[in-house]
Amino acid sequence: YSGCGKSLVVSISPTTDSIMDCNVGGYFGPFLKFAGFDAIEIQGKAEKDVIVVVDGTKGTVRIEEAPEEAVDSHVLAEQLTEMYADDENDKRNVAVVSSGKAAEYALIGMLNFSWYDVRRKTCRLKQAGRGGIGTVFRNKKIKALVAKSSGVKGDMNHVADMEAIRERGRNFTREMRELDDSQSRMRKVGTAHLVEIMNDYDLLPTCNFKFGSHPEAKKIDSKALEPKFTKGLPDGCWLGCTMSCCKAVDGFELKTGPYKGQKVIVDGPEYETIGGLGSNSGIFDPDHVIECNFYCDTYGIDTISFGTSTAFAMECFENGILNEERTGGLKFNFGNSDAVMEALHQMARGEGFGVVLGSGVRKMKEKFVKEYGADPKFLQDIGMENKGLEYSQYVSKESLAQQGGFAMTNKGPQHDEAWLIFMDMVNKQIPTFEDKAEALHYFPMFRTWFGLMGLCKLPWNDVEPANNEETDEPAKVPEHVDNYVTIFNAVTGKSIDKYELIRQSERVYNFQRIFNLRKGFGKRENDAQPYRAAGPVTVEEYESRKDRYDKQMKEIIGVDPEGKTTEEKIAITRKYRENVYEKLLDAVYKRRGWTKKGIPTIEHLKELGMDLPELIEVVKPHLEK
């Protein structure tokens, strides 16, 4: 079945100081499983750079010193694949996890998971991006993890009912073949198809989330990028995935940095990368997006956090909080792609303003207030982070449910947990607080389940059965939900239903919430959002959408905007929207079985079978206050 080769990486994040998890493709997870391990836990810290090798062909796990090998991922993956493969044909059986130079100096480091593309005869990379997991990896002096397999055969994990899986797989493959071209075009452009859709609905982040669209967005949308993507090659990040959405630009000649002049393969760019490195930074040059994508990947930097941090710094520059003296000579205004690339290369060298940028939005806010006298309220309003994690690339101003989907997460504002903009804003499927609360219960739980099972979310709803709109709950894509229930039962031999699927995630989700509580987080105040996620902060923002905001003020808030200054209208809008968000918090907490302070109740933990003494001990003092 498509999308069954994912891994889940979990760590304490250096940017949030709480649990971070990332769902990632590539071959490492399956190869680790075939070697006999469900998980690998790495404790402690090495004195020198090491490689951890899980060799399924010999049944061994080794820790080897690695003084000579490269650090940057696109080089290291090739070196280690060559080193641990027996011959050219065996390269397909080696997978590498690595980070990069910049992760040693930045808090927003990520991990690359490789696989050997036998058609291209080179290594490809997928990313576990969020929350600084790559920073933790390099801080432990791990240069790479390597998994080696003896080869992939049809039933290496000895499933209980192979025919049931094959049947659902055949059905999904038929849907991709017959429906993908008229729906999301994942096989042709991957997630890049979202750029023009988000721009059309005023949801594409532009200039640090101030705006949701731009006339030049067409320069970086899927129509502009499709000619650059290599055609005619299967682009799945695990064997047998017919969604084949892992696009790549082959033979891209780099214009900057230590690899200038070299022709490389660039994985992506995907939607989040295009939004972050492109429109949100006010840059509409596809070659810049591709080049910056490449260097973020090989340096081990999360493109989402880098893009949002860059956009924040650019707005600070344009407001005089930063200047050329403070950026080391960089003119860090919106649209300056040269300055962005120089800052990224500085980050990899551990130099200059690049290190400041690599600390992320929350640390930059603290620095700019303390050292430059910036207004903390203004920075809180425009600094697009929650819990220390930078926002992913969707404008949530007109979707209350998506505001909750970002800020009410355990780990911070990451789209993979709850993407509700279209249900809420476009299709109007969840009009009441109770409807939104139900969506903010179900979808985060269902999406969490994919990570727990090593599955990809995209085959769930990026292609839908032809009759999906005729079902009772089209947003859930019930036929595909049934696919996953069937596959779980067919793999494990168990017999769960779609409700137990959600409860499996609820147990983990509540455990994470309580873990955060033990760390000093996990309460209502930690689910607060920067105001720009909810509404216009500046006069420029309000006036750019004046007709919309004035109409809402009159028809929804019940205040006549006539004769009021823009500043007065911003204040009225803000008071209303902040109050509505607080009501949403109440509704969501009630649905999740939490108190109004966001604390899981003992009764709810008992219902889930999670009333463990260690958890009750953490929760109880907060319930007694």
Side-chain angles (χ1 to χ4, degrees), residues 49-332:
D49 277 347
V50 297
I51 297 171
V52 180
V53 183
V54 181
D55 191 336
T57 67
K58 298 177 181 177
T60 61
V61 178
R62 305 187 302 276
I63 299 176
E64 303 175 354
E65 288 193 8
E68 302 298 331
E69 291 76 15
V71 176
D72 289 344
S73 280
H74 82 289
V75 180
L76 182 59
E78 295 283 354
Q79 288 178 341
L80 297 184
T81 299
E82 179 79 30
M83 185 184 304
Y84 290 101
D86 296 338
D87 51 38
E88 179 67 26
N89 193 54
D90 194 41
K91 288 182 178 180
R92 71 185 71 198
N93 298 321
V94 177
V96 178
V97 179
S98 59
S99 190
K101 290 177 185 173
E104 299 173 8
Y105 305 107
L107 297 181
I108 56 174
M110 61 77 172
L111 293 177
N112 289 292
F113 280 56
S114 84
W115 77 99
Y116 187 74
D117 188 322
V118 295
R119 301 282 184 91
R120 290 178 168 91
K121 296 190 180 303
T122 191
C123 289
R124 303 280 306 277
L125 303 173
K126 290 297 288 182
Q127 292 72 38
R130 307 309 320 272
I133 285 178
T135 301
V136 176
F137 192 82
R138 288 302 295 138
N139 184 262
K140 287 178 173 289
K141 297 287 187 182
I142 306 167
K143 190 169 278 187
L145 306 178
V146 177
K148 184 172 181 181
S149 172
S150 57
V152 180
K153 304 175 184 66
D155 188 17
M156 295 182 72
N157 55 341
H158 309 299
V159 300
D161 185 354
M162 178 61 82
E163 183 50 39
I165 298 170
R166 286 180 176 143
E167 178 193 1
R168 299 305 172 111
R170 286 192 294 267
N171 291 343
F172 181 81
T173 296
R174 186 184 68 254
E175 290 172 1
M176 285 300 302
R177 184 176 63 249
E178 296 176 356
L179 302 172
D180 180 53
D181 286 349
S182 62
Q183 292 186 15
S184 297
R185 299 185 299 134
M186 297 295 281
R187 295 176 300 172
K188 291 184 177 178
V189 296
T191 59
H193 76 277
L194 287 167
V195 176
E196 50 265 42
I197 297 172
M198 296 301 110
N199 192 62
D200 288 346
Y201 283 100
D202 207 31
L203 298 169
L204 180 70
T206 305
C207 298
N208 195 31
F209 297 87
K210 283 195 285 188
F211 317 115
S213 59
H214 196 281
E216 292 190 71
K218 62 180 179 293
K219 294 181 179 179
I220 56 172
D221 68 13
S222 69
K223 296 180 183 67
L225 288 167
E226 185 173 1
K228 297 178 182 290
F229 293 140
T230 303
K231 307 292 193 304
L233 293 175
D235 279 323
C237 64
W238 176 237
L239 299 170
C241 183
T242 54
M243 181 153 272
S244 197
C245 66
C246 185
K247 302 296 107 183
V249 179
D250 286 273
F252 182 81
E253 185 171 341
L254 298 169
K255 302 175 183 65
T256 69
Y259 305 107
K260 180 179 179 180
Q262 294 186 20
K263 291 187 176 181
V264 296
I265 181 171
V266 186
D267 282 281
E270 297 191 26
Y271 168 77
E272 296 287 339
T273 297
I274 300 165
L277 307 183
S279 60
N280 211 13
S281 302
I283 299 171
F284 299 92
D285 176 359
D287 285 345
H288 164 78
V289 172
I290 294 167
E291 176 133 350
C292 195
N293 187 167
F294 169 81
Y295 273 112
C296 280
D297 286 354
T298 199
Y299 286 159
I301 292 297
D302 171 22
T303 57
I304 297 176
S305 284
F306 181 81
T308 300
S309 297
T310 296
F312 170 72
M314 285 176 161
E315 186 165 1
C316 288
F317 188 91
E318 296 204 345
N319 278 276
I321 297 164
L322 292 175
N323 53 40
E324 288 184 60
E325 180 182 354
R326 291 168 179 170
T327 62
L330 297 178
K331 294 183 178 180
F332 221 69

